Amino acid sequence: MESKLVIYNTLTRQKERFEPLHAPNVGMYVCGPTVYGDPHLGHARPAITFDLVFRYLKHLGYKVRYVRNITDVGHLEHDADEGEDKIAKKARVEQLEPMEIAQYYTNRYHQYMDALNVLRPSIEPHASGHIIEQQQLVQQILDNGFAYESNGSVYFDIEAYNKQYKYGILSGRSLENIKDASRDNLDGVGEKHNQADFALWKKAQPEHIMRWPSPWSDGFPGWHCECTAMGRKYLGEMFDIHGGGLDLVFPHHECEIAQATASMGHQAVKYWMHNNMLTINGQKMGKSYNNFITLEQFFTGNHPLLEKAYSPMTIRFFILSAHYRGTVDFSNEALQAAEKGYEKLTNAINDLGRIQVSDKCDAETERIVKSLRQRCYDAMNDDLATPLVLSILFEGCTIVNRLLDHKATICADCLKELTETMRLFAEDILGLQTETSDSNDAREAAFGKVMDMVLELRAKAKADKDWATSDRIRDELAAAGFEVKDTKDGVTWRLNK
């Protein structure tokens, strides 16, 4: 099939016509979460971005194998080659098995992605389930002379690689710049030939919980290995799309390219796609910056920066209202605008069933309705221009409102076309499903707001030493089914069902 879709390829730094290697089959790999904490808004953006890609490619008739990994081992603190594994650290703090942590937060990730109407991938491999494949990758790189063993660890030899290939083709960084940036980093000093070299396999220290036997040591794979090994296993030695956040271009995706080339003689990906960052006051949102807002907090409104709770579809609309390659800065004003936009769109779609048909359309209605579908396709085909798609759909909303106000007329065929176009692009492709006002999320948000107010009154009573009022509030809440506990970290509550 001939594709009209054009996407931006980070590797070539230009838009390119999407032409799959083996049409109608498409292979797409996207970097998934490291599962050691609740998903936040920064996790939602790549999930929604590549859900959009997945939906649109399937709509165009492609048979898509979508692989999105779960990182449950090997991702060390600060994305470095030293320090504690992020999941092992969380397990130590909470006195749980690392796989308990990984499973719990994987379940939580799925729960919130489902709420955002993000489709499940075709395959969701775990790094810990593919240790053998990662060891095979490391051995191939060693056999080809692009890695070395040192004290039980194996490191990628960037100098040796750069003599035959070029390290830095994705990020545009030169080897000298990378080496200069690495000189202040003493991680692995004494083990690495060059501080810019990165770990393929790490020997586990005695206190390191997550470890596997290997030809080199009892240890664990480097963070970058999993995606190269699992992408190759499930999508072959060359596949169409590799996606992820812009923050992964360097070093993660750069290292993936080097690993694939060092093991196979060529890199594995035709199109590299990256969504831009979500920021708060201009700074990237993320756990390492301690400025993130979890999706649960968005859905309940329980965060100091939030003026109210925002529904999952408001969050999805907010993300889609910006182009995936543009930066999005968090603000309550932007979220409230997204909430109004989402309501306007869904209200118009729901109102389509109330429109009365006429024998013929007025000229303006017919002109807009008959151009709507193709204009939406043109916007999507131009590197997934979702803001433009939404603006075109809002023109459809205006038509709906004019028809309801009897300021325009529409024939049966045009009403059918308008309905199909609005539902196709809003619901099927953009994934903006209708939410009901009595959803569990909305009820929990309402409970949260009321409880916050009541507990503030109780706290004031306690501060005033008005113990009778404080106890009465607690007892009345208990009678209504609310359990209130005073802990060293503050007051907690839950509704007993």
Side-chain angles (χ1 to χ4, degrees):
M1 65 177 70
E2 183 181 354
S3 173
K4 294 182 179 179
L5 174 62
V6 172
I7 56 176
Y8 184 85
N9 189 349
T10 308
L11 185 65
T12 60
R13 294 167 182 75
Q14 63 183 10
K15 290 181 183 180
E16 297 179 4
R17 186 173 301 280
F18 178 67
E19 296 177 341
L21 294 163
H22 306 290
N25 299 299
V26 172
M28 181 169 75
Y29 188 100
V30 175
C31 289
T34 301
V35 283
Y36 69 104
D38 269 344
H40 55 71
L41 192 62
H43 293 118
R45 192 169 197 198
I48 290 171
T49 295
F50 292 100
D51 179 62
L52 175 76
V53 178
F54 186 33
R55 286 170 180 271
Y56 193 55
L57 288 174
K58 289 201 301 180
H59 170 70
L60 293 178
Y62 294 110
K63 183 179 179 181
V64 185
R65 178 177 290 176
Y66 175 17
V67 181
R68 187 185 66 206
N69 67 300
I70 295 289
T71 298
D72 56 1
V73 66
H75 196 169
L76 305 187
E77 296 175 277
H78 314 300
D79 302 344
D81 283 342
E82 295 296 319
E84 199 167 2
D85 184 289
K86 293 183 177 185
I87 291 165
K89 180 179 180 179
K90 186 78 168 183
R92 178 176 56 77
V93 170
E94 298 196 11
Q95 297 183 314
L96 295 170
E97 280 288 330
M99 285 301 110
E100 281 185 271
I101 293 293
Q103 187 65 59
Y104 176 78
Y105 286 112
T106 298
N107 292 345
R108 298 277 285 180
Y109 180 79
H110 287 153
Q111 174 187 342
Y112 290 108
M113 293 305 109
D114 288 347
L116 291 168
N117 200 25
V118 170
L119 301 176
R120 298 287 178 98
S122 315
I123 302 173
E124 191 173 56
H126 291 233
S128 63
H130 295 77
I131 300 298
I132 291 173
E133 289 85 353
Q134 293 177 76
Q135 289 180 352
Q136 290 171 340
L137 172 68
V138 174
Q139 189 61 59
Q140 286 175 331
I141 297 172
L142 274 167
D143 291 345
N144 290 342
F146 297 114
Y148 55 90
E149 183 183 349
S150 181
N151 298 328
S153 294
V154 180
Y155 293 98
F156 190 93
D157 192 335
I158 289 182
E159 288 272 16
Y161 176 83
N162 210 55
K163 289 176 182 176
Q164 187 168 341
Y165 303 104
K166 177 172 170 50
Y167 184 79
I169 61 171
L170 185 67
S171 62
R173 303 188 187 198
S174 69
L175 181 59
E176 288 307 312
N177 288 339
I178 294 165
K179 287 164 66 176
D180 288 344
S182 302
R183 286 194 180 117
D184 294 332
N185 180 3
L186 299 179
D187 290 342
V189 67
E191 288 190 355
K192 297 182 181 182
H193 293 174
N194 188 308
Q195 285 310 112
D197 295 346
F198 58 90
L200 298 172
W201 185 264
K202 286 291 292 181
K203 179 181 179 181
Q205 298 303 310
E207 68 276 6
H208 200 96
I209 305 171
M210 303 173 80
R211 59 174 66 216
W212 289 264
S214 81
W216 316 289
S217 65
D218 279 4
F220 53 92
W223 172 38
H224 312 302
C225 287
E226 60 178 290
C227 294
T228 304
M230 295 190 296
R232 182 167 68 182
K233 179 180 178 69
Y234 295 111
L235 298 175
E237 292 193 353
M238 191 75 189
F239 56 90
D240 298 294
I241 296 172
H242 194 317
L246 196 63
D247 57 328
L248 296 179
V249 169
F250 187 88
H252 187 49
H253 290 166
E254 196 73 78
C255 292
E256 279 194 60
I257 288 175
Q259 290 169 158
T261 305
S263 62
M264 300 185 297
H266 61 85
Q267 76 124 334
V269 180
K270 186 174 182 181
Y271 304 99
W272 286 88
M273 295 182 69
H274 295 92
N275 63 274
N276 213 321
M277 297 298 97
L278 275 159
T279 58
I280 295 182
N281 297 323
Q283 185 182 46
K284 177 198 168 189
M285 179 183 290
K287 290 188 178 73
S288 57
Y289 297 97
N290 199 32
N291 66 351
F292 62 93
I293 304 173
T294 68
L295 293 172
E296 180 180 40
Q297 289 168 329
F298 273 105
F299 299 164
T300 62
N302 186 25
H303 190 282
L305 291 176
L306 296 173
E307 294 178 2
K308 55 177 289 187
Y310 298 99
S311 74
M313 287 301 100
T314 296
I315 299 300
R316 188 175 179 107
F317 188 100
F318 170 65
I319 289 172
L320 292 172
S321 62
H323 192 273
Y324 77 91
R325 289 195 290 115
T327 304
V328 177
D329 197 52
F330 159 82
S331 72
N332 281 281
E333 293 77 13
L335 281 164
Q336 287 163 24
E339 185 175 60
K340 290 178 181 176
Y342 165 73
E343 289 176 356
K344 178 180 177 181
L345 182 58
T346 53
N347 287 342
I349 290 172
N350 291 334
D351 285 339
L352 283 162
R354 298 170 48 210
I355 293 172
Q356 295 180 350
V357 297
S358 301
D359 293 335
K360 63 178 183 178
C361 301
D362 65 83
E364 181 68 4
T365 298
E366 184 176 21
R367 182 187 66 79
I368 293 175
V369 169
K370 287 189 173 180
S371 69
L372 214 62
R373 185 187 297 254
Q374 188 57 51
R375 290 168 62 207
C376 285
Y377 275 123
D378 291 344
M380 285 297 297
N381 287 336
D382 185 11
D383 197 27
L384 310 168
T386 54
L388 182 54
V389 175
L390 287 170
S391 71
I392 295 166
L393 291 176
F394 282 141
E395 291 184 37
C397 295
T398 300
I399 291 293
V400 170
N401 292 330
R402 284 176 54 80
L403 290 165
L404 289 173
D405 291 340
H406 303 290
K407 295 178 179 178
T409 58
I410 192 167
C411 67
D413 287 345
C414 281
L415 180 58
K416 182 174 181 287
E417 172 65 14
L418 178 62
T419 302
E420 288 179 355
T421 301
M422 296 280 284
R423 290 194 177 279
L424 169 64
F425 284 94
E427 298 175 350
D428 298 347
I429 294 174
L430 297 185
L432 294 165
Q433 62 187 3
T434 300
E435 292 176 322
T436 56
S437 59
D438 62 346
S439 66
N440 289 335
D441 289 327
R443 287 165 59 196
E444 287 175 9
F447 276 138
K449 293 293 185 182
V450 172
M451 283 299 295
D452 287 347
M453 181 179 68
V454 172
L455 292 176
E456 281 180 18
L457 292 173
R458 181 169 176 261
K460 185 177 186 305
K462 290 178 72 174
D464 295 338
K465 301 187 185 304
D466 183 359
W467 309 118
T469 300
S470 171
D471 291 345
R472 183 186 172 194
I473 292 173
R474 182 196 59 205
D475 294 343
E476 291 285 352
L477 286 171
F482 291 91
E483 182 180 341
V484 177
K485 287 185 178 180
D486 294 302
T487 72
K488 62 180 181 180
D489 296 322
V491 182
T492 64
W493 67 273
R494 69 186 179 98
L495 176 61
N496 294 318
K497 298 180 181 178

